[in-house]
Amino acid sequence: MGDHKNNPDYHSELVYQMCYEHSLDGIILTIPDGKVLAANPAACDIFGMTEAELCALSRSTLFDTGDPNFEHLKIEKEPTGAIRGDLTIVRKDGSKLIAEISNRHFTTGNNEFRSIIIIRDKTEKILAEQKIRESEEKYKQIVELSQEGIWVIDKDNKTTFTNDAMATMLGYQREEMIGMELFEFMDDEGREISERNIEKRKNGITEQHDFVFLKKEGTKVWVMISTTPIFKDGRYAGSMAMITDITQRRQAEENLISSEERFRELVENNNDVILLLDKNLLTVYRSPATWRTMGFTDEERIGRSYLELAHPEDVVDIKRFQQIVIDNPGKPVPIRVRAKHSDGHYLWLEGIATNLMHNKSVNAIVVNLRDISEKKKAEDNVQQLNNRLRIATEAANVCIWEWDITTGELKWDNAMYKLYGLNPKVDAPNLMTWTNSVHPDDLTTLLKMSDEAIAGIRPLDTEFRIFRESDRSVRFIRSKALNVIDKKTGAVLKMIGSNWDITENQLAKQEKEKILADLIRRNNDLEQFAYIISHNLRAPVSNVLGLSEMLINDDVDDESKPTVLNGLDLSVKKIDLIINDLNNIFQSKQRIGDKKETVYFQQIVDDIKFSINHMVEKENVSLKCDFGKAEHMVSVRSYLYSVLYNLILNSIKYRKEEVSPVISISSSIDDGKHITLVITDNGKGIDLKRNKEMLFGLYQRFDQTVEGRGLGLYMVKTQVEALYGTIQVDSELDRGTSFTISLPV
């Protein structure tokens, strides 16, 4: 044993053994084929295995062959037999970590070839480097993206660093500011302040203060500066400052001061009463106007309850308002109350109360009041006048409306709603509601007259019709309005007008006009009958009288007697024919009282076609009917039959030679109130330029080539008018004729 202690090789081996066992680096001993012979404790910790587990593995299985460095280091090993670099190792649990690997080959004393691998775990180093990079990046981003300016100057007061926020704050680019002296960014007064502050920095004093810099274009910017001195080796090397733009804050503070001054002036000189009350309505403040309005001094009222001044009838309402105000912090509550004046009479006051007890700077209920005693008196007078006007308008059935031209707002009284058949709780009056109620035939004219009234051309004074949906009736309205004019511009601001129902008067007027028209028509008929009697009957009657006188006086010889008797017979037959025509006309005018029924147009045409079937077949007549839009109507069937019969018969009688008659009959509904029948043919046509005025006259004939007495069209027009309809004709020679009949539904 003593020999070992004196043996230098023994000591060296002992040192190597201790280094191997206690090394922080992993050490693995392998042979050329890669088999692991030994591993120190550090290597076992790195791989998470025991030494026996490591020795059971080959060298190549300890490393991640997918690591790009694996092949690189493998190639590097070829010429020298040694490698050094980073490789990814695979631990027992499958996790991976990056380690620094170094490899050396050596030969033992027994001439055996061995390889030793030194493994150093770089995980902590990599994490530390990553944290450093992340920290550097984070602080870089903080500096670059900071909303505050960062400014560094050296010991000579020259700019060495500034971030974008600082440069933008002063209107510069960062590159422009580098190298510029601090004093270039301030006026003379600022320089004096800055020089004093720099002396403080040199003494190691850090401070925060407000300052004014000059921007590049010369305007001032207020900032708050937090300055810290920089020392290197104990010597002053410059300063770093964090700078915040407080220009807006300073402006706001100045505005606040100015606002407070203005508010104080407004409160002191305002004519409105301003009271601050606590939750029990005790007075804690009164504006100067309170004394001018209510007559009590502050000494008399401060600390006293407002209820002491309330009218006895208003106390309950005031307590209700008090609770509403307390329950709604910050929400203005409108109030109207009576309050006692110092001389004993009561004032009417109107305003708002706002609960600001949650606002520590106020901590009270703020009440703003205005004396409206004169206004209330005027309102009462207006209300009395309105009541009288309402009674008067209701008695006269007059409805009042008001139209604000600038806003389009329309106001109606209750009578207007009743007139238009609308519900004031459901139907809000507006231009759309009104125009939808106006009869379509009257709307364009009415709107034009309204525009003229707005333009000041003439006041609105007109009559129109409305359709009342509630009872589906048409009402006639009279409307008059006055303009409210802007005295400065002359523009019309409002129209105030009245409507009243003139339906009864209008219907009476229409009935009167109808009766008058009927009388005129009857008179014309009488004149025409007189004409018939005086002309058509005079000749045959004269013949009868003359011939009968010859027979009575025996002035006729036997040879002439048959001739005279034949003439007498012809004259009597002609008289009988005229009398029959007149009888038919009288009957047509009297049968309007016949029972009305549902009449189908196609059925009438079929009946007519059947009655004249021989003529239809003989003349090869084509009857085309289109009653798809209106198949039937309620009317006097005999009249419609007669009208269509005469028109169809005329179309056949007055056909073109060698052209088969084509007669088209169609129906339609116009505006929901009239049915239109159109009868068109391809016949000879009529020269309307010469014959239009006489076309529907009695015994008027315009084509002597066809047998007839001129009675058909007269009967057609008479019967159409008896049904309260109208008939129009459109025709040209050789181009056919079209009759249009309009009958009320």
Side-chain angles (χ1 to χ4, degrees):
M1 188 172 180
D3 294 336
H4 289 305
K5 291 180 180 180
N6 296 321
N7 188 346
D9 292 336
Y10 171 77
H11 288 289
S12 297
E13 184 177 349
L14 185 61
V15 171
Y16 292 150
Q17 183 68 27
M18 291 182 66
C19 289
Y20 175 79
E21 295 291 339
H22 298 286
S23 173
L24 296 177
D25 293 336
I27 302 173
I28 295 176
L29 183 66
T30 68
I31 58 177
D33 63 0
K35 178 177 176 59
V36 177
L37 297 179
N40 73 341
C44 294
D45 288 340
I46 291 173
F47 285 95
M49 303 180 188
T50 64
E51 184 177 15
E53 289 174 325
L54 281 171
C55 290
L57 301 174
S58 66
R59 181 175 55 215
S60 61
T61 59
L62 299 177
F63 303 101
D64 182 4
T65 56
D67 188 333
N69 279 342
F70 187 82
E71 291 299 325
H72 172 72
L73 294 177
K74 188 175 180 182
I75 294 171
E76 182 182 306
K77 177 185 174 183
E78 296 298 331
T80 63
I83 59 173
R84 184 181 183 87
D86 293 343
L87 269 181
T88 302
I89 67 174
V90 182
R91 305 181 81 241
K92 180 179 179 180
D93 59 7
S95 62
K96 299 179 180 181
L97 57 85
I98 298 175
E100 182 180 337
I101 306 297
S102 60
N103 177 51
R104 290 290 179 182
H105 297 307
F106 65 93
T107 303
T108 66
N110 298 327
N111 207 26
E112 294 177 332
F113 188 72
R114 298 285 185 267
S115 177
I116 187 168
I117 302 173
I118 308 298
I119 304 170
R120 179 171 294 172
D121 186 354
K122 294 187 65 176
T123 303
E124 292 185 1
K125 179 181 178 182
I126 291 172
L127 290 175
E129 291 174 350
Q130 183 177 350
K131 286 182 179 180
I132 292 172
R133 287 195 300 272
E134 290 176 352
S135 177
E136 289 176 348
E137 183 64 26
K138 180 173 68 174
Y139 285 114
K140 180 180 179 182
Q141 289 183 359
I142 290 173
V143 170
E144 295 297 333
L145 300 177
S146 173
Q147 299 298 314
E148 292 186 314
I150 300 175
W151 196 346
V152 180
I153 60 173
D154 62 14
K155 63 182 179 61
D156 297 320
N157 302 319
K158 291 186 178 181
T159 303
T160 59
F161 174 82
T162 179
N163 66 348
D164 287 336
M166 188 68 247
T168 302
M169 194 183 303
L170 297 180
Y172 288 88
Q173 297 293 326
R174 292 174 64 180
E175 296 76 10
E176 292 181 272
M177 293 185 64
I178 301 301
M180 291 181 66
E181 191 175 29
L182 175 66
F183 303 126
E184 296 182 54
F185 301 94
M186 59 192 71
D187 57 18
D188 293 340
E189 182 181 355
R191 177 168 184 147
E192 292 178 4
I193 297 172
S194 185
E195 286 175 344
R196 291 196 299 269
N197 290 337
I198 289 172
E199 291 302 319
K200 295 179 183 179
R201 300 297 90 72
K202 291 179 179 180
N203 293 322
I205 299 174
T206 297
E207 67 175 349
Q208 179 176 301
H209 60 91
D210 292 352
F211 194 74
V212 179
F213 282 118
L214 293 179
K215 298 178 73 172
K216 184 177 182 179
E217 73 274 13
T219 59
K220 294 181 178 181
V221 55
W222 273 96
V223 298
M224 181 177 67
I225 304 177
S226 296
T227 312
T228 301
I230 300 172
F231 288 91
K232 289 184 179 180
D233 300 327
R235 294 183 179 182
Y236 175 74
S239 299
M240 184 187 77
M242 301 291 290
I243 300 174
T244 303
D245 186 345
I246 61 169
T247 303
Q248 291 184 350
R249 190 193 78 186
R250 288 296 293 252
Q251 186 64 48
E253 290 173 352
E254 292 175 2
N255 291 341
L256 179 60
I257 294 171
S258 176
S259 176
E260 289 175 347
E261 292 176 354
R262 287 197 301 269
F263 179 74
R264 187 180 299 108
E265 289 295 322
L266 286 172
V267 171
E268 298 296 330
N269 296 284
N270 195 352
N271 290 325
D272 288 351
V273 172
I274 301 176
L275 299 174
L276 298 185
L277 308 176
D278 69 7
K279 64 179 180 180
N280 297 315
L281 302 186
L282 298 180
T283 305
V284 296
Y285 170 80
R286 301 166 79 241
S287 67
T290 309
W291 170 78
R292 295 193 295 269
T293 302
M294 304 182 68
F296 292 98
T297 64
D298 288 351
E299 290 76 12
E300 293 176 289
R301 296 308 314 160
I302 296 295
R304 304 290 295 272
S305 174
Y306 178 80
L307 291 175
E308 296 174 357
L309 304 179
H311 192 285
E313 296 177 0
D314 295 345
V315 171
V316 174
D317 287 339
I318 291 175
K319 289 182 178 180
R320 180 170 58 84
F321 285 135
Q322 175 188 6
Q323 192 60 47
I324 293 173
V325 171
I326 290 174
D327 292 343
N328 294 274
K331 183 178 180 180
V333 178
I335 57 174
R336 179 180 278 201
V337 294
R338 286 169 287 184
K340 184 186 292 185
H341 192 276
S342 60
D343 62 11
H345 74 277
Y346 283 92
L347 304 170
W348 272 100
L349 302 175
E350 182 181 62
I352 58 172
T354 308
N355 178 5
L356 295 181
M357 289 188 292
H358 59 285
N359 188 328
K360 294 181 180 179
S361 62
V362 180
N363 191 28
I365 297 173
V366 181
V367 182
N368 299 79
L369 297 170
R370 177 172 295 180
D371 184 1
I372 60 163
S373 301
E374 292 301 321
K375 175 184 175 183
K376 185 67 170 60
K377 183 178 179 180
E379 287 178 352
D380 292 341
N381 291 335
V382 170
Q383 186 60 45
Q384 291 179 4
L385 292 174
N386 285 339
N387 291 338
R388 294 173 186 172
L389 178 61
R390 180 176 54 81
I391 294 171
T393 54
E394 288 178 356
N397 290 324
V398 175
C399 314
I400 306 300
W401 56 267
E402 180 180 321
W403 180 22
D404 190 321
I405 306 300
T406 56
T407 65
E409 182 183 9
L410 194 61
K411 295 180 181 178
W412 286 0
D413 66 359
N414 289 333
M416 278 288 290
Y417 283 101
K418 184 177 179 181
L419 175 62
Y420 280 75
L422 300 174
N423 186 344
K425 295 182 180 180
V426 177
D427 305 304
N430 52 56
L431 290 180
M432 182 67 72
T433 303
W434 177 67
T435 54
N436 286 342
S437 299
V438 176
H439 193 289
D441 293 346
D442 299 344
L443 182 59
T444 301
T445 301
L446 183 56
L447 291 176
K448 180 181 178 183
M449 297 182 74
S450 299
D451 291 341
E452 290 177 348
I454 294 172
I457 298 175
R458 62 180 63 83
L460 182 65
D461 186 356
T462 185
E463 296 177 4
F464 58 93
R465 291 167 292 172
I466 64 169
F467 179 73
R468 193 159 61 189
E469 186 68 36
S470 58
D471 58 5
R472 302 195 64 78
S473 65
V474 174
R475 311 300 296 177
F476 290 83
I477 307 298
R478 177 71 186 277
S479 184
K480 297 185 70 173
L482 296 175
N483 293 342
V484 178
I485 308 296
D486 187 324
K487 294 182 180 180
K488 293 182 179 180
T489 64
V492 177
L493 300 177
K494 293 182 179 180
M495 289 178 66
I496 300 176
S498 60
N499 283 179
W500 61 95
D501 192 338
I502 59 169
T503 303
E504 301 304 325
N505 293 340
Q506 198 69 18
L507 292 177
K509 179 181 176 182
Q510 290 181 357
E511 185 64 24
K512 181 179 178 180
E513 292 174 351
K514 180 180 175 184
I515 293 172
L516 181 61
D518 189 57
L519 288 174
I520 293 173
R521 182 174 58 81
R522 289 177 181 271
N523 184 63
N524 291 336
D525 289 345
L526 288 173
E527 289 180 355
Q528 196 155 20
F529 293 153
Y531 172 81
I532 293 170
I533 293 170
S534 64
H535 290 79
N536 293 37
L537 290 177
R538 181 174 297 278
V541 169
S542 296
N543 287 340
V544 170
L545 290 175
L547 293 172
S548 62
E549 185 178 352
M550 289 174 63
L551 291 172
I552 292 171
N553 294 332
D554 200 18
D555 292 337
V556 182
D557 56 24
D558 292 338
E559 185 179 350
S560 300
K561 198 168 187 176
T563 302
V564 172
L565 290 173
N566 185 53
L568 183 60
D569 180 63
L570 290 173
S571 296
V572 171
K573 287 181 178 179
K574 188 171 184 181
I575 291 172
D576 181 64
L577 184 62
I578 293 172
I579 291 172
N580 283 333
D581 289 344
L582 292 175
N583 184 54
N584 288 332
I585 293 171
F586 282 127
Q587 285 183 351
S588 71
K589 294 177 179 294
Q590 293 172 352
R591 288 172 59 190
I592 190 62
D594 289 358
K595 180 182 178 181
K596 292 185 178 181
E597 58 184 299
T598 301
V599 181
Y600 288 88
F601 302 127
Q602 187 63 56
Q603 186 177 347
I604 288 181
V605 173
D606 290 343
D607 291 346
I608 294 171
K609 187 176 179 181
F610 179 79
S611 67
I612 59 171
N613 187 57
H614 64 289
M615 187 182 296
V616 171
E617 292 182 353
K618 179 182 177 182
E619 303 300 338
N620 193 26
V621 177
S622 175
L623 268 171
K624 299 180 179 180
C625 300
D626 180 8
F627 301 125
K629 295 181 180 178
E631 296 180 351
H632 58 80
M633 70 176 295
V634 176
S635 187
V636 179
R637 189 180 193 282
S638 58
Y639 272 32
L640 286 178
Y641 182 94
S642 177
V643 168
L644 293 176
Y645 178 87
N646 279 300
L647 292 176
I648 292 172
L649 201 61
N650 275 0
S651 294
I652 298 173
K653 287 169 61 177
Y654 297 100
R655 64 190 180 278
K656 291 180 182 179
E657 294 294 334
E658 299 179 356
V659 177
S660 297
V662 178
I663 305 170
S664 300
I665 307 174
S666 64
S667 63
S668 62
I669 297 179
D670 298 331
D671 64 32
K673 297 181 180 180
H674 292 82
I675 284 184
T676 299
L677 293 171
V678 179
I679 301 93
T680 304
D681 63 43
N682 62 341
K684 294 180 179 181
I686 305 169
D687 186 354
L688 293 180
K689 292 182 180 179
R690 295 180 56 187
N691 304 316
K692 185 175 183 179
E693 298 300 325
M694 300 178 293
L695 186 62
F696 294 102
L698 184 61
Y699 295 130
Q700 299 294 330
R701 300 183 64 236
F702 313 108
D703 188 345
Q704 304 301 325
T705 64
V706 179
E707 183 181 352
R709 304 200 307 276
L711 190 63
L713 289 182
Y714 176 81
M715 293 292 292
V716 168
K717 187 173 187 296
T718 299
Q719 290 173 325
V720 168
E721 290 178 346
L723 295 173
Y724 303 104
T726 60
I727 182 168
Q728 303 290 332
V729 62
D730 183 21
S731 182
E732 291 184 31
L733 288 174
D734 296 324
R735 304 198 56 180
T737 303
S738 177
F739 288 94
T740 302
I741 299 171
S742 178
L743 299 171
V745 176

mmCIF file of all heavy atoms in Angstrom, residues 54-71:
data_model
loop_
_atom_site.group_PDB
_atom_site.id
_atom_site.type_symbol
_atom_site.label_atom_id
_atom_site.label_comp_id
_atom_site.label_asym_id
_atom_site.label_seq_id
_atom_site.Cartn_x
_atom_site.Cartn_y
_atom_site.Cartn_z
ATOM 1 N N LEU A 54 -27.267 2.068 -20.724
ATOM 2 C CA LEU A 54 -26.463 2.718 -21.758
ATOM 3 C C LEU A 54 -25.506 1.718 -22.410
ATOM 4 O O LEU A 54 -25.308 1.736 -23.635
ATOM 5 C CB LEU A 54 -25.671 3.887 -21.172
ATOM 6 C CG LEU A 54 -26.458 5.184 -20.954
ATOM 7 C CD1 LEU A 54 -25.614 6.186 -20.172
ATOM 8 C CD2 LEU A 54 -26.868 5.792 -22.293
ATOM 9 N N CYS A 55 -24.906 0.844 -21.615
ATOM 10 C CA CYS A 55 -23.945 -0.111 -22.162
ATOM 11 C C CYS A 55 -24.611 -1.150 -23.040
ATOM 12 O O CYS A 55 -23.947 -1.836 -23.825
ATOM 13 C CB CYS A 55 -23.188 -0.808 -21.004
ATOM 14 S SG CYS A 55 -22.054 0.301 -20.144
ATOM 15 N N ALA A 56 -25.912 -1.294 -22.890
ATOM 16 C CA ALA A 56 -26.654 -2.251 -23.729
ATOM 17 C C ALA A 56 -26.970 -1.661 -25.095
ATOM 18 O O ALA A 56 -27.513 -2.352 -25.964
ATOM 19 C CB ALA A 56 -27.945 -2.680 -23.025
ATOM 20 N N LEU A 57 -26.630 -0.387 -25.308
ATOM 21 C CA LEU A 57 -26.964 0.300 -26.569
ATOM 22 C C LEU A 57 -25.714 0.537 -27.384
ATOM 23 O O LEU A 57 -24.592 0.509 -26.874
ATOM 24 C CB LEU A 57 -27.648 1.638 -26.276
ATOM 25 C CG LEU A 57 -28.958 1.577 -25.469
ATOM 26 C CD1 LEU A 57 -29.428 2.980 -25.147
ATOM 27 C CD2 LEU A 57 -30.029 0.820 -26.257
ATOM 28 N N SER A 58 -25.924 0.808 -28.645
ATOM 29 C CA SER A 58 -24.803 1.200 -29.505
ATOM 30 C C SER A 58 -24.732 2.712 -29.539
ATOM 31 O O SER A 58 -25.697 3.415 -29.236
ATOM 32 C CB SER A 58 -24.989 0.638 -30.918
ATOM 33 O OG SER A 58 -26.109 1.238 -31.532
ATOM 34 N N ARG A 59 -23.597 3.223 -29.975
ATOM 35 C CA ARG A 59 -23.359 4.666 -29.975
ATOM 36 C C ARG A 59 -24.354 5.404 -30.866
ATOM 37 O O ARG A 59 -24.853 6.465 -30.520
ATOM 38 C CB ARG A 59 -21.914 4.912 -30.447
ATOM 39 C CG ARG A 59 -21.510 6.372 -30.466
ATOM 40 C CD ARG A 59 -20.037 6.479 -30.814
ATOM 41 N NE ARG A 59 -19.776 5.796 -32.080
ATOM 42 C CZ ARG A 59 -18.658 5.127 -32.352
ATOM 43 N NH1 ARG A 59 -17.706 5.010 -31.458
ATOM 44 N NH2 ARG A 59 -18.491 4.548 -33.527
ATOM 45 N N SER A 60 -24.683 4.793 -32.029
ATOM 46 C CA SER A 60 -25.534 5.504 -32.998
ATOM 47 C C SER A 60 -26.957 5.681 -32.498
ATOM 48 O O SER A 60 -27.654 6.625 -32.892
ATOM 49 C CB SER A 60 -25.540 4.749 -34.336
ATOM 50 O OG SER A 60 -26.064 3.438 -34.159
ATOM 51 N N THR A 61 -27.436 4.800 -31.601
ATOM 52 C CA THR A 61 -28.831 4.900 -31.129
ATOM 53 C C THR A 61 -29.004 6.005 -30.106
ATOM 54 O O THR A 61 -30.117 6.331 -29.722
ATOM 55 C CB THR A 61 -29.274 3.566 -30.520
ATOM 56 O OG1 THR A 61 -28.402 3.237 -29.432
ATOM 57 C CG2 THR A 61 -29.250 2.458 -31.551
ATOM 58 N N LEU A 62 -27.894 6.581 -29.643
ATOM 59 C CA LEU A 62 -28.005 7.634 -28.633
ATOM 60 C C LEU A 62 -28.308 8.998 -29.238
ATOM 61 O O LEU A 62 -28.674 9.932 -28.518
ATOM 62 C CB LEU A 62 -26.692 7.716 -27.832
ATOM 63 C CG LEU A 62 -26.297 6.452 -27.068
ATOM 64 C CD1 LEU A 62 -24.941 6.666 -26.403
ATOM 65 C CD2 LEU A 62 -27.357 6.094 -26.049
ATOM 66 N N PHE A 63 -28.142 9.101 -30.560
ATOM 67 C CA PHE A 63 -28.298 10.410 -31.194
ATOM 68 C C PHE A 63 -29.422 10.365 -32.223
ATOM 69 O O PHE A 63 -29.740 9.315 -32.795
ATOM 70 C CB PHE A 63 -26.977 10.843 -31.858
ATOM 71 C CG PHE A 63 -25.842 10.885 -30.894
ATOM 72 C CD1 PHE A 63 -24.904 9.852 -30.839
ATOM 73 C CD2 PHE A 63 -25.710 11.950 -30.019
ATOM 74 C CE1 PHE A 63 -23.860 9.886 -29.937
ATOM 75 C CE2 PHE A 63 -24.664 11.984 -29.120
ATOM 76 C CZ PHE A 63 -23.740 10.950 -29.067
ATOM 77 N N ASP A 64 -30.025 11.534 -32.485
ATOM 78 C CA ASP A 64 -31.125 11.662 -33.455
ATOM 79 C C ASP A 64 -30.507 11.736 -34.850
ATOM 80 O O ASP A 64 -29.898 12.740 -35.231
ATOM 81 C CB ASP A 64 -31.947 12.922 -33.158
ATOM 82 C CG ASP A 64 -33.124 13.076 -34.105
ATOM 83 O OD1 ASP A 64 -33.357 12.183 -34.944
ATOM 84 O OD2 ASP A 64 -33.841 14.110 -34.002
ATOM 85 N N THR A 65 -30.692 10.651 -35.603
ATOM 86 C CA THR A 65 -30.098 10.614 -36.941
ATOM 87 C C THR A 65 -30.778 11.594 -37.893
ATOM 88 O O THR A 65 -30.262 11.862 -38.976
ATOM 89 C CB THR A 65 -30.195 9.190 -37.513
ATOM 90 O OG1 THR A 65 -31.569 8.780 -37.508
ATOM 91 C CG2 THR A 65 -29.366 8.213 -36.675
ATOM 92 N N GLY A 66 -31.952 12.105 -37.495
ATOM 93 C CA GLY A 66 -32.637 13.097 -38.338
ATOM 94 C C GLY A 66 -32.092 14.496 -38.167
ATOM 95 O O GLY A 66 -32.471 15.414 -38.917
ATOM 96 N N ASP A 67 -31.206 14.696 -37.192
ATOM 97 C CA ASP A 67 -30.604 16.010 -36.973
ATOM 98 C C ASP A 67 -29.689 16.319 -38.157
ATOM 99 O O ASP A 67 -28.830 15.493 -38.511
ATOM 100 C CB ASP A 67 -29.815 15.984 -35.663
ATOM 101 C CG ASP A 67 -29.319 17.368 -35.266
ATOM 102 O OD1 ASP A 67 -29.112 18.204 -36.166
ATOM 103 O OD2 ASP A 67 -29.143 17.607 -34.055
ATOM 104 N N PRO A 68 -29.872 17.490 -38.824
ATOM 105 C CA PRO A 68 -29.015 17.835 -39.979
ATOM 106 C C PRO A 68 -27.522 17.780 -39.656
ATOM 107 O O PRO A 68 -26.699 17.509 -40.538
ATOM 108 C CB PRO A 68 -29.460 19.262 -40.326
ATOM 109 C CG PRO A 68 -30.852 19.376 -39.781
ATOM 110 C CD PRO A 68 -30.888 18.526 -38.551
ATOM 111 N N ASN A 69 -27.137 18.023 -38.386
ATOM 112 C CA ASN A 69 -25.726 18.026 -38.017
ATOM 113 C C ASN A 69 -25.144 16.609 -37.956
ATOM 114 O O ASN A 69 -23.925 16.429 -37.920
ATOM 115 C CB ASN A 69 -25.522 18.686 -36.651
ATOM 116 C CG ASN A 69 -25.510 20.203 -36.761
ATOM 117 O OD1 ASN A 69 -25.326 20.731 -37.864
ATOM 118 N ND2 ASN A 69 -25.700 20.894 -35.657
ATOM 119 N N PHE A 70 -26.021 15.596 -37.894
ATOM 120 C CA PHE A 70 -25.544 14.221 -37.716
ATOM 121 C C PHE A 70 -24.633 13.801 -38.872
ATOM 122 O O PHE A 70 -23.515 13.331 -38.671
ATOM 123 C CB PHE A 70 -26.745 13.272 -37.594
ATOM 124 C CG PHE A 70 -26.352 11.871 -37.241
ATOM 125 C CD1 PHE A 70 -26.102 11.512 -35.925
ATOM 126 C CD2 PHE A 70 -26.222 10.889 -38.232
ATOM 127 C CE1 PHE A 70 -25.747 10.202 -35.605
ATOM 128 C CE2 PHE A 70 -25.858 9.595 -37.912
ATOM 129 C CZ PHE A 70 -25.615 9.245 -36.590
ATOM 130 N N GLU A 71 -25.123 13.983 -40.099
ATOM 131 C CA GLU A 71 -24.333 13.616 -41.276
ATOM 132 C C GLU A 71 -23.108 14.505 -41.408
ATOM 133 O O GLU A 71 -22.041 14.070 -41.822
ATOM 134 C CB GLU A 71 -25.198 13.691 -42.535
ATOM 135 C CG GLU A 71 -26.281 12.628 -42.617
ATOM 136 C CD GLU A 71 -25.700 11.226 -42.640
ATOM 137 O OE1 GLU A 71 -24.613 11.048 -43.234
ATOM 138 O OE2 GLU A 71 -26.312 10.300 -42.063
#
